[in-house]
Amino acid sequence: MAIGISSSVFGLEPSATLAMSAKAKEITAQGKTVYDLSVGEPDFATPQFICDAAIEAMKKGKTKYTIASGIPELKKTVVEKYKQEYGLDYSPQQVVVTNGAKHALHNVFFSTLNAGDEVIIPAPYWVSYAELVKLSGAIPVIVQTEEQNNFKMTAAQFEKAITPTTKMLLLCNPSNPTGSVYTEAELKELADIVIKNDLTVLSDEIYDKLVYEGNKFISFPTLNPDLTERTVVINGVSKTYSMTGWRIGWSISPLHLAKKMGELQSQETSNPCSISQYAALAALTGPQDCVAEMLKAFTQRRDYVAKRIADIDGLSCSEMGGAFYAFFNVKKYLGKKLGGVQVDNSEQFCLSLLEQKQTATVMGSAFGCEGYVRASFAASNEILKSAFDNIAEFVSG
Ligand code: PMP
Ligand code: GLU
């Protein structure tokens, strides 16, 4: 019998961010220069002291299986961080260390959702959310937010989307792909609705350290003591410490769920890379100047990108309070010919821009929001300059 594809993965869409990044890499491999603003990956090297900790771990023979849910030292450090920075009380047993934050998301959906459960996801949303929810048999319920409201879901929009089968709210704050940051008051309103309707929350806080002046990050469970038992927090080292390839993330959840997700991991993946876990431990416990330095560079780039977008006729972008993405409106240019090619939607816009100007971005449709394009500004100043010169030329026809 020929090997078939299961119905669970048959309709699965590949990650659009990784697909665009792969396209950019393919063109680069052909010897051409690509200005790559597709994938959300800091361009900085992983700080040396973190790499040294990994080398040290290897020298000390930390190259074997660890406990499937992660080394106790790292769990303890995560818990101490959340206590010190956000005043939250967790036990190390509530932490599950995962193969990147993406894996933590999968663990949570797979371990808490049943077929037919609804998960409310404000759009634009990060590309993997809806697909991972569907993979667990549950139903993503997309709530469209407005550019005028900085793409933040209002309490009224949230309340309207709730049905008797709603199980979970998935919140990404600061947001990928828009960079919006919810205020405490806005989060409180959402939290009240969560409690009133007896829902659970998955709070993706992977950009908690990438928040620009004038904005304040609030960890969701701090809003009300009643939230700790119904919220899972996701975080990791990928973005904060420029450690995307090391693949270390984690979830912090109620104990019974953490135990089950650890068991799931013991069957599915075993432990995340032992060496990377020691590197992550060094990242969290070592000097934090690298985080401040990267944030300073991202702030300058954010300001530069905001100005370049504002200077291009017809493009607009909401306020970028955190993360490293600009999600800009290209609606004025849809339905037109750009460089002689008809461009009717954000996907055609991005593919033509890549083909004609070797500039890689990601289509808004992949984030559930047509008419927009995402550019990651986790790229060097030179690349950003060339990329926005190219975007300006591209839309000028
Ligand atoms: N959540 C969000 C919002 C992200 O942007 C990313 C990007 N990678 C992830 C989770 C996954 O992170 P990781 O690379 O650690 O799997
Ligand atoms: N989160 C990043 C992005 O949105 C990395 C790519 C991915 O994991 O999808 O570009």
Side-chain angles (χ1 to χ4, degrees):
M1 189 200 283
I3 296 179
I5 299 291
S6 75
S7 53
S8 313
V9 295
F10 189 77
L12 181 79
E13 293 284 337
S15 161
T17 44
L18 297 183
M20 278 309 269
S21 161
K23 266 194 207 315
K25 286 192 172 91
E26 248 170 55
I27 301 174
T28 309
Q30 291 161 13
K32 295 185 196 150
T33 302
V34 175
Y35 305 98
D36 190 0
L37 310 187
S38 63
V39 77
E41 169 164 71
D43 56 316
F44 305 107
T46 302
Q48 192 56 46
F49 75 93
I50 299 174
C51 299
D52 290 344
I55 294 167
E56 200 48 35
M58 283 189 274
K59 281 189 184 156
K60 286 190 174 147
K62 309 279 190 194
T63 51
K64 310 282 178 164
Y65 293 136
T66 73
I67 296 170
S69 58
I71 55 173
E73 305 93 295
L74 182 52
K75 293 180 184 178
K76 185 167 164 278
T77 302
V78 167
V79 160
E80 283 166 3
K81 278 248 149 189
Y82 264 76
K83 173 72 182 163
Q84 192 190 322
E85 292 173 9
Y86 306 125
L88 288 165
D89 284 305
Y90 291 108
S91 71
Q93 292 75 17
Q94 290 179 265
V95 177
V96 176
V97 183
T98 54
N99 294 285
K102 197 180 268 185
H103 179 206
L105 289 162
H106 170 72
N107 279 350
V108 176
F109 298 140
F110 201 67
S111 306
T112 65
L113 300 175
N114 288 310
D117 286 343
E118 292 182 355
V119 178
I120 294 182
I121 310 178
Y125 51 81
W126 177 49
V127 291
S128 295
Y129 290 154
E131 289 306 304
L132 289 177
V133 166
K134 281 192 260 173
L135 208 51
S136 70
I139 303 166
V141 173
I142 307 303
V143 174
Q144 279 297 336
T145 63
E146 304 293 331
E147 182 179 349
Q148 296 86 310
N149 193 38
N150 262 333
F151 294 112
K152 290 190 265 192
M153 182 173 70
T154 64
Q157 286 171 327
F158 179 29
E159 210 149 29
K160 204 166 151 219
I162 296 171
T163 72
T165 38
T166 304
K167 177 101 177 242
M168 178 184 274
L169 165 66
L170 201 177
L171 206 61
C172 181
N173 181 44
S175 158
N176 177 3
T178 66
S180 61
V181 178
Y182 283 82
T183 65
E184 184 163 5
E186 288 163 341
L187 288 175
K188 271 218 161 91
E189 285 192 50
L190 300 182
D192 287 347
I193 297 169
V194 163
I195 294 166
K196 194 173 95 190
N197 290 277
D198 197 20
L199 304 180
T200 61
V201 179
L202 194 162
S203 183
D204 187 340
E205 307 189 348
I206 196 156
Y207 297 101
D208 66 337
K209 293 285 173 295
L210 297 171
V211 173
Y212 305 112
E213 225 178 290
N215 296 272
K216 189 167 179 244
F217 168 75
I218 308 283
S219 179
F220 199 79
T222 62
L223 294 160
N224 188 320
D226 191 11
L227 289 170
T228 29
E229 275 305 300
R230 56 175 81 242
T231 304
V232 183
V233 170
I234 302 285
N235 210 323
V237 291
S238 297
K239 316 290 174 175
T240 311
Y241 300 99
S242 200
M243 291 178 70
T244 45
W246 298 74
R247 310 307 302 133
I248 296 293
W250 55 79
S251 56
I252 315 176
S253 70
L255 193 56
H256 68 283
L257 174 58
K259 192 166 170 289
K260 193 42 82 184
M261 292 193 295
E263 287 165 6
L264 173 66
Q265 236 166 245
S266 79
Q267 293 290 15
E268 249 185 6
T269 59
S270 297
N271 60 279
C273 170
S274 60
I275 302 154
S276 295
Q277 290 191 68
Y278 285 97
L281 180 63
L284 294 179
T285 52
Q288 299 297 297
D289 340 3
C290 55
V291 180
E293 275 162 33
M294 286 191 255
L295 184 65
K296 196 169 155 206
F298 285 136
T299 307
Q300 283 161 357
R301 293 172 186 184
R302 190 265 323 243
D303 295 345
Y304 175 76
V305 165
K307 184 168 175 348
R308 291 298 309 261
I309 292 171
D311 287 347
I312 300 173
D313 178 44
L315 298 192
S316 66
C317 186
S318 61
E319 200 190 311
M320 295 168 270
F324 35 61
Y325 305 103
F327 197 69
F328 55 95
N329 185 325
V330 298
K331 287 178 188 166
K332 180 176 172 191
Y333 295 100
L334 301 184
K336 300 215 163 102
K337 279 202 159 127
L338 298 176
V341 178
Q342 182 69 22
V343 168
D344 286 328
N345 55 41
S346 59
E347 182 173 3
Q348 289 170 357
F349 185 102
C350 292
L351 293 176
S352 280
L353 178 63
L354 180 59
E355 201 158 289
Q356 294 181 39
K357 300 285 178 193
Q358 290 74 52
T359 299
T361 52
V362 185
M363 44 288 213
S365 53
F367 304 93
C369 197
E370 186 47 272
Y372 294 82
V373 166
R374 190 193 80 171
S376 158
F377 53 84
S380 72
N381 294 342
E382 295 72 34
I383 291 178
L384 286 173
K385 181 179 180 311
S386 302
F388 277 93
D389 287 350
N390 288 345
I391 292 171
E393 267 180 38
F394 177 65
V395 297
S396 71

